[in-house]
Amino acid sequence: MTDDTKGNTEDNMEYTEKAYATGEVATMLDISVPAVRKYAQILESKGYTFIRSKKKGKYQARLFVEKDVTALRYLKEIRSKGNTTVD
């Protein structure tokens, strides 16, 4: 038996993380869908990248993983502390 905590995994094994849609993140953070989009756009303008859906066409939806939810939660906290803007 290998000890996976030390990074000894099989080469073909992939670890996947749950990705959330914009509406799910809005519910998790108790903010509106437009607020999630606004926060995500602000992060992207600063160089942050999000996973995008594989949908072809003009729009590819953002998909949010746990680190993204944490970043958005932090922006929400900053915003709620008074005169600080998210920008």
Side-chain angles (χ1 to χ4, degrees), residues 5-42:
T5 60
K6 295 182 181 178
N8 297 329
T9 59
E10 295 180 30
D11 290 337
N12 63 351
M13 184 181 287
E14 288 185 30
Y15 289 95
T16 58
E17 188 174 4
K18 169 112 171 91
Y20 302 97
T22 305
E24 292 174 304
V25 173
T27 301
M28 290 167 65
L29 299 178
D30 195 29
I31 58 177
S32 67
V33 169
V36 172
R37 289 187 185 121
K38 179 181 177 180
Y39 291 173
Q41 289 170 345
I42 290 166

Side-chain angles (χ1 to χ4, degrees), residues 4-77:
D4 289 342
T5 60
K6 295 182 181 178
N8 297 329
T9 59
E10 295 180 30
D11 290 337
N12 63 351
M13 184 181 287
E14 288 185 30
Y15 289 95
T16 58
E17 188 174 4
K18 169 112 171 91
Y20 302 97
T22 305
E24 292 174 304
V25 173
T27 301
M28 290 167 65
L29 299 178
D30 195 29
I31 58 177
S32 67
V33 169
V36 172
R37 289 187 185 121
K38 179 181 177 180
Y39 291 173
Q41 289 170 345
I42 290 166
L43 287 170
E44 286 174 331
S45 74
K46 306 298 182 193
Y48 193 97
T49 57
F50 292 94
I51 298 169
R52 295 287 184 154
S53 68
K54 293 182 180 182
K55 181 181 175 187
K56 303 286 185 203
K58 188 174 180 180
Y59 299 104
Q60 290 181 311
R62 287 180 194 91
L63 299 174
F64 301 88
V65 293
E66 284 300 324
K67 73 175 184 75
D68 303 329
V69 175
T70 300
L72 294 171
R73 185 175 287 118
Y74 178 70
L75 289 178
K76 178 187 173 191
E77 288 176 23

